[in-house]
Amino acid sequence: MKTDGKTCLPQNDLTEITCSASGIRLELHQCVLPGVSEPTLLDSDCEADLVGDTFVFETTLDGCDTAFVVDDDVVTFSVSLFKGKIVRKIFYECC
């Protein structure tokens, strides 16, 4: 939990985001999404693959309802994890 008391950050070894010119790969250990067995991104066609105990999402930079904001030459992307309702919103920068 961050000092604002509102932002929950999982341990670094439980998440991984990989960016490339063609897309994004998001890996989340199952414990980051307790009680969720089949998460999708906001676009429900964008399902995770379960690899061991890790959910893996892959999408193009503009796919699966990925949003982005450009501020001072920094692009911040966000995706929403969904299971009947938004369960987590994830923000990240790709350099």
Side-chain angles (χ1 to χ4, degrees):
M1 182 73 66
K2 288 184 85 172
T3 56
D4 66 6
K6 298 177 184 176
T7 306
C8 178
L9 296 174
Q11 294 173 276
N12 287 338
D13 62 337
L14 299 177
T15 64
E16 184 173 336
I17 298 172
T18 306
C19 302
S20 70
S22 61
I24 301 160
R25 178 182 172 99
L26 171 62
E27 298 179 31
L28 299 170
H29 190 279
Q30 284 179 308
C31 70
V32 175
L33 300 172
V36 177
S37 60
E38 296 177 357
T40 68
L41 297 178
L42 195 54
D43 177 342
S44 62
D45 289 334
C46 299
E47 300 173 336
D49 291 321
L50 186 59
V51 179
D53 53 7
T54 301
F55 293 119
V56 178
F57 297 92
E58 292 185 275
T59 183
T60 59
L61 294 174
D62 61 351
C64 296
D65 289 331
T66 301
F68 68 93
V69 175
V70 179
D71 185 24
D72 292 330
D73 296 327
V74 175
V75 180
T76 302
F77 293 89
S78 67
V79 294
S80 296
L81 300 175
F82 193 75
K83 187 60 183 172
K85 62 179 182 171
I86 293 177
V87 293
R88 297 282 187 276
K89 192 158 196 160
I90 299 174
F91 297 91
Y92 53 93
E93 294 175 0
C94 294
C95 301

mmCIF file of all heavy atoms in Angstrom, residues 25-78:
data_model
loop_
_atom_site.group_PDB
_atom_site.id
_atom_site.type_symbol
_atom_site.label_atom_id
_atom_site.label_comp_id
_atom_site.label_asym_id
_atom_site.label_seq_id
_atom_site.Cartn_x
_atom_site.Cartn_y
_atom_site.Cartn_z
ATOM 1 N N ARG A 25 2.875 -6.862 -23.106
ATOM 2 C CA ARG A 25 2.649 -8.136 -22.437
ATOM 3 C C ARG A 25 2.587 -7.839 -20.947
ATOM 4 O O ARG A 25 3.507 -7.245 -20.377
ATOM 5 C CB ARG A 25 3.787 -9.106 -22.743
ATOM 6 C CG ARG A 25 3.658 -10.448 -22.042
ATOM 7 C CD ARG A 25 4.874 -11.326 -22.371
ATOM 8 N NE ARG A 25 4.896 -12.540 -21.600
ATOM 9 C CZ ARG A 25 4.490 -13.725 -22.031
ATOM 10 N NH1 ARG A 25 4.022 -13.842 -23.270
ATOM 11 N NH2 ARG A 25 4.543 -14.783 -21.261
ATOM 12 N N LEU A 26 1.509 -8.246 -20.312
ATOM 13 C CA LEU A 26 1.279 -8.018 -18.899
ATOM 14 C C LEU A 26 1.163 -9.364 -18.205
ATOM 15 O O LEU A 26 0.359 -10.202 -18.606
ATOM 16 C CB LEU A 26 -0.019 -7.214 -18.717
ATOM 17 C CG LEU A 26 -0.559 -7.029 -17.312
ATOM 18 C CD1 LEU A 26 0.422 -6.257 -16.447
ATOM 19 C CD2 LEU A 26 -1.898 -6.312 -17.370
ATOM 20 N N GLU A 27 2.015 -9.583 -17.201
ATOM 21 C CA GLU A 27 1.993 -10.834 -16.439
ATOM 22 C C GLU A 27 1.660 -10.505 -14.987
ATOM 23 O O GLU A 27 2.304 -9.643 -14.389
ATOM 24 C CB GLU A 27 3.346 -11.530 -16.516
ATOM 25 C CG GLU A 27 3.748 -11.918 -17.914
ATOM 26 C CD GLU A 27 5.109 -12.575 -17.979
ATOM 27 O OE1 GLU A 27 5.497 -13.243 -17.001
ATOM 28 O OE2 GLU A 27 5.782 -12.415 -19.012
ATOM 29 N N LEU A 28 0.650 -11.182 -14.432
ATOM 30 C CA LEU A 28 0.226 -10.964 -13.047
ATOM 31 C C LEU A 28 0.083 -12.304 -12.352
ATOM 32 O O LEU A 28 -0.645 -13.179 -12.828
ATOM 33 C CB LEU A 28 -1.137 -10.263 -13.002
ATOM 34 C CG LEU A 28 -1.247 -8.888 -13.630
ATOM 35 C CD1 LEU A 28 -2.699 -8.458 -13.706
ATOM 36 C CD2 LEU A 28 -0.460 -7.903 -12.808
ATOM 37 N N HIS A 29 0.748 -12.460 -11.233
ATOM 38 C CA HIS A 29 0.571 -13.670 -10.433
ATOM 39 C C HIS A 29 -0.889 -13.717 -9.972
ATOM 40 O O HIS A 29 -1.517 -12.688 -9.707
ATOM 41 C CB HIS A 29 1.519 -13.637 -9.226
ATOM 42 C CG HIS A 29 1.568 -14.935 -8.502
ATOM 43 N ND1 HIS A 29 0.611 -15.305 -7.596
ATOM 44 C CD2 HIS A 29 2.458 -15.948 -8.564
ATOM 45 C CE1 HIS A 29 0.899 -16.492 -7.114
ATOM 46 N NE2 HIS A 29 2.023 -16.912 -7.684
ATOM 47 N N GLN A 30 -1.439 -14.907 -9.870
ATOM 48 C CA GLN A 30 -2.845 -15.067 -9.471
ATOM 49 C C GLN A 30 -3.168 -14.376 -8.156
ATOM 50 O O GLN A 30 -4.280 -13.893 -7.967
ATOM 51 C CB GLN A 30 -3.201 -16.548 -9.353
ATOM 52 C CG GLN A 30 -3.389 -17.236 -10.673
ATOM 53 C CD GLN A 30 -3.721 -18.703 -10.485
ATOM 54 O OE1 GLN A 30 -3.022 -19.419 -9.781
ATOM 55 N NE2 GLN A 30 -4.792 -19.147 -11.106
ATOM 56 N N CYS A 31 -2.226 -14.299 -7.226
ATOM 57 C CA CYS A 31 -2.513 -13.701 -5.928
ATOM 58 C C CYS A 31 -2.760 -12.202 -6.012
ATOM 59 O O CYS A 31 -3.307 -11.603 -5.092
ATOM 60 C CB CYS A 31 -1.405 -14.011 -4.921
ATOM 61 S SG CYS A 31 0.154 -13.180 -5.257
ATOM 62 N N VAL A 32 -2.388 -11.567 -7.145
ATOM 63 C CA VAL A 32 -2.655 -10.143 -7.333
ATOM 64 C C VAL A 32 -4.144 -9.915 -7.588
ATOM 65 O O VAL A 32 -4.674 -8.834 -7.310
ATOM 66 C CB VAL A 32 -1.802 -9.578 -8.496
ATOM 67 C CG1 VAL A 32 -2.135 -8.138 -8.796
ATOM 68 C CG2 VAL A 32 -0.314 -9.730 -8.179
ATOM 69 N N LEU A 33 -4.826 -10.937 -8.094
ATOM 70 C CA LEU A 33 -6.261 -10.863 -8.381
ATOM 71 C C LEU A 33 -6.993 -11.945 -7.585
ATOM 72 O O LEU A 33 -7.505 -12.907 -8.149
ATOM 73 C CB LEU A 33 -6.515 -11.049 -9.881
ATOM 74 C CG LEU A 33 -5.865 -10.036 -10.809
ATOM 75 C CD1 LEU A 33 -6.036 -10.457 -12.258
ATOM 76 C CD2 LEU A 33 -6.443 -8.658 -10.580
ATOM 77 N N PRO A 34 -7.053 -11.809 -6.276
ATOM 78 C CA PRO A 34 -7.664 -12.862 -5.466
ATOM 79 C C PRO A 34 -9.130 -13.090 -5.832
ATOM 80 O O PRO A 34 -9.883 -12.143 -6.043
ATOM 81 C CB PRO A 34 -7.521 -12.347 -4.029
ATOM 82 C CG PRO A 34 -7.316 -10.885 -4.159
ATOM 83 C CD PRO A 34 -6.663 -10.656 -5.476
ATOM 84 N N GLY A 35 -9.489 -14.354 -5.952
ATOM 85 C CA GLY A 35 -10.873 -14.710 -6.250
ATOM 86 C C GLY A 35 -11.278 -14.583 -7.708
ATOM 87 O O GLY A 35 -12.417 -14.841 -8.067
ATOM 88 N N VAL A 36 -10.357 -14.181 -8.570
ATOM 89 C CA VAL A 36 -10.650 -14.019 -10.002
ATOM 90 C C VAL A 36 -10.033 -15.193 -10.743
ATOM 91 O O VAL A 36 -8.836 -15.433 -10.654
ATOM 92 C CB VAL A 36 -10.101 -12.682 -10.540
ATOM 93 C CG1 VAL A 36 -10.332 -12.560 -12.037
ATOM 94 C CG2 VAL A 36 -10.727 -11.512 -9.800
ATOM 95 N N SER A 37 -10.872 -15.932 -11.474
ATOM 96 C CA SER A 37 -10.346 -17.119 -12.146
ATOM 97 C C SER A 37 -10.159 -16.939 -13.653
ATOM 98 O O SER A 37 -9.314 -17.591 -14.242
ATOM 99 C CB SER A 37 -11.267 -18.316 -11.891
ATOM 100 O OG SER A 37 -12.558 -18.050 -12.379
ATOM 101 N N GLU A 38 -10.925 -16.064 -14.281
ATOM 102 C CA GLU A 38 -10.816 -15.873 -15.731
ATOM 103 C C GLU A 38 -10.885 -14.389 -16.067
ATOM 104 O O GLU A 38 -11.860 -13.916 -16.652
ATOM 105 C CB GLU A 38 -11.933 -16.631 -16.445
ATOM 106 C CG GLU A 38 -11.848 -18.134 -16.263
ATOM 107 C CD GLU A 38 -13.010 -18.866 -16.925
ATOM 108 O OE1 GLU A 38 -13.915 -18.216 -17.476
ATOM 109 O OE2 GLU A 38 -12.995 -20.101 -16.893
ATOM 110 N N PRO A 39 -9.843 -13.631 -15.733
ATOM 111 C CA PRO A 39 -9.900 -12.191 -15.998
ATOM 112 C C PRO A 39 -9.777 -11.874 -17.482
ATOM 113 O O PRO A 39 -9.199 -12.636 -18.245
ATOM 114 C CB PRO A 39 -8.697 -11.657 -15.226
ATOM 115 C CG PRO A 39 -7.724 -12.788 -15.256
ATOM 116 C CD PRO A 39 -8.571 -14.031 -15.151
ATOM 117 N N THR A 40 -10.327 -10.752 -17.856
ATOM 118 C CA THR A 40 -10.154 -10.211 -19.196
ATOM 119 C C THR A 40 -9.727 -8.755 -19.041
ATOM 120 O O THR A 40 -9.779 -8.190 -17.959
ATOM 121 C CB THR A 40 -11.461 -10.252 -20.017
ATOM 122 O OG1 THR A 40 -12.410 -9.345 -19.460
ATOM 123 C CG2 THR A 40 -12.038 -11.653 -20.064
ATOM 124 N N LEU A 41 -9.318 -8.166 -20.135
ATOM 125 C CA LEU A 41 -9.148 -6.726 -20.145
ATOM 126 C C LEU A 41 -10.525 -6.128 -20.380
ATOM 127 O O LEU A 41 -11.523 -6.850 -20.480
ATOM 128 C CB LEU A 41 -8.144 -6.317 -21.215
ATOM 129 C CG LEU A 41 -6.723 -6.858 -20.982
ATOM 130 C CD1 LEU A 41 -5.795 -6.441 -22.108
ATOM 131 C CD2 LEU A 41 -6.166 -6.400 -19.645
ATOM 132 N N LEU A 42 -10.639 -4.806 -20.424
ATOM 133 C CA LEU A 42 -11.948 -4.173 -20.554
ATOM 134 C C LEU A 42 -12.694 -4.706 -21.776
ATOM 135 O O LEU A 42 -13.883 -4.936 -21.734
ATOM 136 C CB LEU A 42 -11.784 -2.656 -20.624
ATOM 137 C CG LEU A 42 -13.031 -1.834 -20.415
ATOM 138 C CD1 LEU A 42 -13.740 -2.193 -19.118
ATOM 139 C CD2 LEU A 42 -12.711 -0.358 -20.440
ATOM 140 N N ASP A 43 -11.974 -4.933 -22.863
ATOM 141 C CA ASP A 43 -12.534 -5.620 -24.018
ATOM 142 C C ASP A 43 -12.569 -7.108 -23.661
ATOM 143 O O ASP A 43 -11.532 -7.756 -23.544
ATOM 144 C CB ASP A 43 -11.643 -5.377 -25.237
ATOM 145 C CG ASP A 43 -12.099 -6.123 -26.474
ATOM 146 O OD1 ASP A 43 -12.888 -7.082 -26.356
ATOM 147 O OD2 ASP A 43 -11.648 -5.754 -27.571
ATOM 148 N N SER A 44 -13.750 -7.647 -23.451
ATOM 149 C CA SER A 44 -13.875 -9.015 -22.930
ATOM 150 C C SER A 44 -13.340 -10.086 -23.877
ATOM 151 O O SER A 44 -13.190 -11.238 -23.484
ATOM 152 C CB SER A 44 -15.325 -9.309 -22.563
ATOM 153 O OG SER A 44 -16.150 -9.220 -23.709
ATOM 154 N N ASP A 45 -13.033 -9.721 -25.125
ATOM 155 C CA ASP A 45 -12.393 -10.673 -26.028
ATOM 156 C C ASP A 45 -10.907 -10.841 -25.712
ATOM 157 O O ASP A 45 -10.258 -11.744 -26.228
ATOM 158 C CB ASP A 45 -12.544 -10.223 -27.486
ATOM 159 C CG ASP A 45 -13.973 -10.358 -27.984
ATOM 160 O OD1 ASP A 45 -14.710 -11.208 -27.451
ATOM 161 O OD2 ASP A 45 -14.353 -9.604 -28.895
ATOM 162 N N CYS A 46 -10.367 -9.984 -24.878
ATOM 163 C CA CYS A 46 -8.951 -10.014 -24.527
ATOM 164 C C CYS A 46 -8.770 -10.780 -23.224
ATOM 165 O O CYS A 46 -8.684 -10.207 -22.135
ATOM 166 C CB CYS A 46 -8.415 -8.592 -24.401
ATOM 167 S SG CYS A 46 -8.550 -7.664 -25.946
ATOM 168 N N GLU A 47 -8.718 -12.085 -23.352
ATOM 169 C CA GLU A 47 -8.621 -12.966 -22.195
ATOM 170 C C GLU A 47 -7.161 -13.246 -21.851
ATOM 171 O O GLU A 47 -6.288 -13.190 -22.705
ATOM 172 C CB GLU A 47 -9.330 -14.286 -22.487
ATOM 173 C CG GLU A 47 -10.794 -14.113 -22.808
ATOM 174 C CD GLU A 47 -11.452 -15.402 -23.258
ATOM 175 O OE1 GLU A 47 -10.746 -16.310 -23.755
ATOM 176 O OE2 GLU A 47 -12.674 -15.500 -23.125
ATOM 177 N N ALA A 48 -6.945 -13.587 -20.596
ATOM 178 C CA ALA A 48 -5.605 -13.969 -20.154
ATOM 179 C C ALA A 48 -5.381 -15.451 -20.406
ATOM 180 O O ALA A 48 -6.311 -16.249 -20.358
ATOM 181 C CB ALA A 48 -5.452 -13.684 -18.664
ATOM 182 N N ASP A 49 -4.140 -15.790 -20.679
ATOM 183 C CA ASP A 49 -3.719 -17.189 -20.666
ATOM 184 C C ASP A 49 -3.174 -17.452 -19.268
ATOM 185 O O ASP A 49 -2.488 -16.597 -18.693
ATOM 186 C CB ASP A 49 -2.616 -17.444 -21.696
ATOM 187 C CG ASP A 49 -3.121 -17.328 -23.127
ATOM 188 O OD1 ASP A 49 -4.248 -17.776 -23.395
ATOM 189 O OD2 ASP A 49 -2.381 -16.777 -23.957
ATOM 190 N N LEU A 50 -3.477 -18.603 -18.718
ATOM 191 C CA LEU A 50 -2.914 -18.986 -17.429
ATOM 192 C C LEU A 50 -1.677 -19.836 -17.687
ATOM 193 O O LEU A 50 -1.766 -20.922 -18.259
ATOM 194 C CB LEU A 50 -3.943 -19.746 -16.586
ATOM 195 C CG LEU A 50 -3.524 -20.082 -15.168
ATOM 196 C CD1 LEU A 50 -3.175 -18.820 -14.374
ATOM 197 C CD2 LEU A 50 -4.628 -20.855 -14.460
ATOM 198 N N VAL A 51 -0.523 -19.319 -17.299
ATOM 199 C CA VAL A 51 0.748 -20.014 -17.484
ATOM 200 C C VAL A 51 1.285 -20.297 -16.083
ATOM 201 O O VAL A 51 1.743 -19.384 -15.391
ATOM 202 C CB VAL A 51 1.739 -19.157 -18.298
ATOM 203 C CG1 VAL A 51 3.063 -19.880 -18.457
ATOM 204 C CG2 VAL A 51 1.152 -18.789 -19.657
ATOM 205 N N GLY A 52 1.172 -21.545 -15.657
ATOM 206 C CA GLY A 52 1.526 -21.880 -14.280
ATOM 207 C C GLY A 52 0.563 -21.188 -13.336
ATOM 208 O O GLY A 52 -0.648 -21.390 -13.411
ATOM 209 N N ASP A 53 1.073 -20.287 -12.516
ATOM 210 C CA ASP A 53 0.212 -19.534 -11.602
ATOM 211 C C ASP A 53 0.174 -18.048 -11.953
ATOM 212 O O ASP A 53 -0.071 -17.198 -11.112
ATOM 213 C CB ASP A 53 0.659 -19.737 -10.155
ATOM 214 C CG ASP A 53 2.141 -19.430 -9.946
ATOM 215 O OD1 ASP A 53 2.788 -18.938 -10.889
ATOM 216 O OD2 ASP A 53 2.636 -19.677 -8.836
ATOM 217 N N THR A 54 0.420 -17.749 -13.247
ATOM 218 C CA THR A 54 0.491 -16.367 -13.711
ATOM 219 C C THR A 54 -0.492 -16.136 -14.861
ATOM 220 O O THR A 54 -0.536 -16.901 -15.820
ATOM 221 C CB THR A 54 1.923 -16.037 -14.184
ATOM 222 O OG1 THR A 54 2.817 -16.245 -13.087
ATOM 223 C CG2 THR A 54 2.037 -14.614 -14.670
ATOM 224 N N PHE A 55 -1.291 -15.057 -14.737
ATOM 225 C CA PHE A 55 -2.148 -14.621 -15.832
ATOM 226 C C PHE A 55 -1.290 -13.820 -16.807
ATOM 227 O O PHE A 55 -0.546 -12.926 -16.392
ATOM 228 C CB PHE A 55 -3.286 -13.725 -15.341
ATOM 229 C CG PHE A 55 -4.294 -14.425 -14.473
ATOM 230 C CD1 PHE A 55 -4.498 -14.018 -13.164
ATOM 231 C CD2 PHE A 55 -5.046 -15.476 -14.970
ATOM 232 C CE1 PHE A 55 -5.445 -14.645 -12.367
ATOM 233 C CE2 PHE A 55 -5.987 -16.115 -14.180
ATOM 234 C CZ PHE A 55 -6.193 -15.694 -12.873
ATOM 235 N N VAL A 56 -1.395 -14.115 -18.108
ATOM 236 C CA VAL A 56 -0.612 -13.419 -19.129
ATOM 237 C C VAL A 56 -1.577 -12.814 -20.151
ATOM 238 O O VAL A 56 -2.385 -13.520 -20.755
ATOM 239 C CB VAL A 56 0.376 -14.373 -19.839
ATOM 240 C CG1 VAL A 56 1.145 -13.634 -20.929
ATOM 241 C CG2 VAL A 56 1.325 -14.997 -18.833
ATOM 242 N N PHE A 57 -1.485 -11.486 -20.311
ATOM 243 C CA PHE A 57 -2.255 -10.760 -21.315
ATOM 244 C C PHE A 57 -1.279 -10.236 -22.354
ATOM 245 O O PHE A 57 -0.210 -9.742 -22.002
ATOM 246 C CB PHE A 57 -2.952 -9.543 -20.707
ATOM 247 C CG PHE A 57 -3.972 -9.857 -19.657
ATOM 248 C CD1 PHE A 57 -3.611 -9.909 -18.317
ATOM 249 C CD2 PHE A 57 -5.295 -10.073 -20.000
ATOM 250 C CE1 PHE A 57 -4.548 -10.175 -17.343
ATOM 251 C CE2 PHE A 57 -6.240 -10.341 -19.020
ATOM 252 C CZ PHE A 57 -5.867 -10.390 -17.691
ATOM 253 N N GLU A 58 -1.659 -10.314 -23.626
ATOM 254 C CA GLU A 58 -0.859 -9.724 -24.693
ATOM 255 C C GLU A 58 -1.787 -8.956 -25.619
ATOM 256 O O GLU A 58 -2.856 -9.448 -25.995
ATOM 257 C CB GLU A 58 -0.105 -10.797 -25.467
ATOM 258 C CG GLU A 58 0.979 -11.461 -24.628
ATOM 259 C CD GLU A 58 1.823 -12.432 -25.417
ATOM 260 O OE1 GLU A 58 1.403 -13.590 -25.538
ATOM 261 O OE2 GLU A 58 2.884 -12.007 -25.907
ATOM 262 N N THR A 59 -1.390 -7.750 -25.980
ATOM 263 C CA THR A 59 -2.209 -6.928 -26.861
ATOM 264 C C THR A 59 -1.328 -5.947 -27.626
ATOM 265 O O THR A 59 -0.183 -5.690 -27.232
ATOM 266 C CB THR A 59 -3.289 -6.159 -26.063
ATOM 267 O OG1 THR A 59 -4.109 -5.427 -26.976
ATOM 268 C CG2 THR A 59 -2.686 -5.211 -25.044
ATOM 269 N N THR A 60 -1.862 -5.398 -28.698
ATOM 270 C CA THR A 60 -1.180 -4.324 -29.412
ATOM 271 C C THR A 60 -1.268 -3.066 -28.553
ATOM 272 O O THR A 60 -2.053 -2.998 -27.600
ATOM 273 C CB THR A 60 -1.824 -4.070 -30.786
ATOM 274 O OG1 THR A 60 -3.202 -3.729 -30.588
ATOM 275 C CG2 THR A 60 -1.728 -5.306 -31.673
ATOM 276 N N LEU A 61 -0.476 -2.058 -28.881
ATOM 277 C CA LEU A 61 -0.456 -0.830 -28.081
ATOM 278 C C LEU A 61 -1.809 -0.127 -28.048
ATOM 279 O O LEU A 61 -2.122 0.572 -27.090
ATOM 280 C CB LEU A 61 0.614 0.135 -28.614
ATOM 281 C CG LEU A 61 2.049 -0.342 -28.461
ATOM 282 C CD1 LEU A 61 2.997 0.615 -29.161
ATOM 283 C CD2 LEU A 61 2.421 -0.502 -27.001
ATOM 284 N N ASP A 62 -2.609 -0.316 -29.084
ATOM 285 C CA ASP A 62 -3.919 0.335 -29.110
ATOM 286 C C ASP A 62 -5.064 -0.678 -29.046
ATOM 287 O O ASP A 62 -6.209 -0.353 -29.319
ATOM 288 C CB ASP A 62 -4.052 1.208 -30.358
ATOM 289 C CG ASP A 62 -3.940 0.418 -31.647
ATOM 290 O OD1 ASP A 62 -3.590 -0.780 -31.595
ATOM 291 O OD2 ASP A 62 -4.202 0.995 -32.716
ATOM 292 N N GLY A 63 -4.775 -1.917 -28.662
ATOM 293 C CA GLY A 63 -5.800 -2.954 -28.618
ATOM 294 C C GLY A 63 -6.410 -3.116 -27.238
ATOM 295 O O GLY A 63 -5.934 -2.562 -26.242
ATOM 296 N N CYS A 64 -7.483 -3.859 -27.170
ATOM 297 C CA CYS A 64 -8.127 -4.247 -25.912
ATOM 298 C C CYS A 64 -8.535 -3.051 -25.065
ATOM 299 O O CYS A 64 -8.457 -3.093 -23.839
ATOM 300 C CB CYS A 64 -7.228 -5.182 -25.109
ATOM 301 S SG CYS A 64 -6.935 -6.755 -25.939
ATOM 302 N N ASP A 65 -8.936 -1.965 -25.703
ATOM 303 C CA ASP A 65 -9.337 -0.740 -25.000
ATOM 304 C C ASP A 65 -8.219 -0.153 -24.148
ATOM 305 O O ASP A 65 -8.461 0.450 -23.101
ATOM 306 C CB ASP A 65 -10.595 -0.962 -24.152
ATOM 307 C CG ASP A 65 -11.835 -1.142 -24.997
ATOM 308 O OD1 ASP A 65 -11.873 -0.586 -26.121
ATOM 309 O OD2 ASP A 65 -12.762 -1.828 -24.564
ATOM 310 N N THR A 66 -6.975 -0.325 -24.595
ATOM 311 C CA THR A 66 -5.845 0.299 -23.921
ATOM 312 C C THR A 66 -5.944 1.806 -24.123
ATOM 313 O O THR A 66 -6.186 2.276 -25.219
ATOM 314 C CB THR A 66 -4.510 -0.209 -24.502
ATOM 315 O OG1 THR A 66 -4.452 -1.619 -24.338
ATOM 316 C CG2 THR A 66 -3.323 0.444 -23.837
ATOM 317 N N ALA A 67 -5.795 2.555 -23.053
ATOM 318 C CA ALA A 67 -5.829 4.015 -23.123
ATOM 319 C C ALA A 67 -4.417 4.547 -22.939
ATOM 320 O O ALA A 67 -3.559 3.873 -22.379
ATOM 321 C CB ALA A 67 -6.732 4.568 -22.027
ATOM 322 N N PHE A 68 -4.164 5.758 -23.430
ATOM 323 C CA PHE A 68 -2.858 6.363 -23.200
ATOM 324 C C PHE A 68 -2.979 7.874 -23.138
ATOM 325 O O PHE A 68 -3.914 8.468 -23.667
ATOM 326 C CB PHE A 68 -1.837 5.940 -24.256
ATOM 327 C CG PHE A 68 -2.111 6.480 -25.628
ATOM 328 C CD1 PHE A 68 -1.539 7.666 -26.045
ATOM 329 C CD2 PHE A 68 -2.928 5.783 -26.510
ATOM 330 C CE1 PHE A 68 -1.792 8.158 -27.319
ATOM 331 C CE2 PHE A 68 -3.185 6.262 -27.782
ATOM 332 C CZ PHE A 68 -2.613 7.453 -28.186
ATOM 333 N N VAL A 69 -2.013 8.486 -22.445
ATOM 334 C CA VAL A 69 -1.917 9.934 -22.308
ATOM 335 C C VAL A 69 -0.472 10.313 -22.591
ATOM 336 O O VAL A 69 0.445 9.640 -22.126
ATOM 337 C CB VAL A 69 -2.302 10.383 -20.876
ATOM 338 C CG1 VAL A 69 -2.096 11.871 -20.693
ATOM 339 C CG2 VAL A 69 -3.729 9.993 -20.557
ATOM 340 N N VAL A 70 -0.273 11.394 -23.364
ATOM 341 C CA VAL A 70 1.066 11.894 -23.643
ATOM 342 C C VAL A 70 1.257 13.184 -22.851
ATOM 343 O O VAL A 70 0.448 14.097 -22.941
ATOM 344 C CB VAL A 70 1.270 12.161 -25.146
ATOM 345 C CG1 VAL A 70 2.664 12.713 -25.406
ATOM 346 C CG2 VAL A 70 1.005 10.910 -25.960
ATOM 347 N N ASP A 71 2.323 13.235 -22.054
ATOM 348 C CA ASP A 71 2.613 14.414 -21.252
ATOM 349 C C ASP A 71 4.122 14.629 -21.243
ATOM 350 O O ASP A 71 4.862 13.792 -20.731
ATOM 351 C CB ASP A 71 2.082 14.221 -19.823
ATOM 352 C CG ASP A 71 2.235 15.467 -18.968
ATOM 353 O OD1 ASP A 71 2.303 16.580 -19.529
ATOM 354 O OD2 ASP A 71 2.292 15.323 -17.730
ATOM 355 N N ASP A 72 4.562 15.736 -21.828
ATOM 356 C CA ASP A 72 5.997 16.045 -21.892
ATOM 357 C C ASP A 72 6.810 14.889 -22.453
ATOM 358 O O ASP A 72 7.800 14.450 -21.859
ATOM 359 C CB ASP A 72 6.531 16.429 -20.504
ATOM 360 C CG ASP A 72 5.970 17.760 -20.026
ATOM 361 O OD1 ASP A 72 5.672 18.621 -20.873
ATOM 362 O OD2 ASP A 72 5.843 17.923 -18.799
ATOM 363 N N ASP A 73 6.397 14.366 -23.575
ATOM 364 C CA ASP A 73 7.098 13.282 -24.278
ATOM 365 C C ASP A 73 7.103 11.958 -23.526
ATOM 366 O O ASP A 73 7.843 11.046 -23.872
ATOM 367 C CB ASP A 73 8.538 13.678 -24.623
ATOM 368 C CG ASP A 73 8.589 14.841 -25.601
ATOM 369 O OD1 ASP A 73 7.686 14.932 -26.460
ATOM 370 O OD2 ASP A 73 9.512 15.656 -25.504
ATOM 371 N N VAL A 74 6.294 11.819 -22.483
ATOM 372 C CA VAL A 74 6.151 10.553 -21.773
ATOM 373 C C VAL A 74 4.762 10.012 -22.072
ATOM 374 O O VAL A 74 3.758 10.710 -21.912
ATOM 375 C CB VAL A 74 6.323 10.729 -20.246
ATOM 376 C CG1 VAL A 74 6.047 9.428 -19.519
ATOM 377 C CG2 VAL A 74 7.721 11.235 -19.936
ATOM 378 N N VAL A 75 4.705 8.783 -22.552
ATOM 379 C CA VAL A 75 3.427 8.147 -22.841
ATOM 380 C C VAL A 75 3.098 7.205 -21.683
ATOM 381 O O VAL A 75 3.885 6.323 -21.354
ATOM 382 C CB VAL A 75 3.483 7.349 -24.167
ATOM 383 C CG1 VAL A 75 2.137 6.688 -24.443
ATOM 384 C CG2 VAL A 75 3.879 8.263 -25.322
ATOM 385 N N THR A 76 1.954 7.427 -21.056
ATOM 386 C CA THR A 76 1.494 6.558 -19.983
ATOM 387 C C THR A 76 0.289 5.790 -20.489
ATOM 388 O O THR A 76 -0.706 6.389 -20.907
ATOM 389 C CB THR A 76 1.113 7.367 -18.728
ATOM 390 O OG1 THR A 76 2.249 8.125 -18.315
ATOM 391 C CG2 THR A 76 0.673 6.443 -17.600
ATOM 392 N N PHE A 77 0.374 4.474 -20.474
ATOM 393 C CA PHE A 77 -0.704 3.601 -20.903
ATOM 394 C C PHE A 77 -1.493 3.144 -19.681
ATOM 395 O O PHE A 77 -0.981 3.116 -18.565
ATOM 396 C CB PHE A 77 -0.143 2.357 -21.611
ATOM 397 C CG PHE A 77 0.532 2.647 -22.912
ATOM 398 C CD1 PHE A 77 1.882 2.947 -22.963
ATOM 399 C CD2 PHE A 77 -0.183 2.605 -24.101
ATOM 400 C CE1 PHE A 77 2.518 3.202 -24.155
ATOM 401 C CE2 PHE A 77 0.447 2.859 -25.312
ATOM 402 C CZ PHE A 77 1.795 3.160 -25.338
ATOM 403 N N SER A 78 -2.734 2.765 -19.909
ATOM 404 C CA SER A 78 -3.498 2.126 -18.834
ATOM 405 C C SER A 78 -4.401 1.058 -19.436
ATOM 406 O O SER A 78 -4.898 1.194 -20.549
ATOM 407 C CB SER A 78 -4.324 3.138 -18.046
ATOM 408 O OG SER A 78 -5.348 3.684 -18.837
#
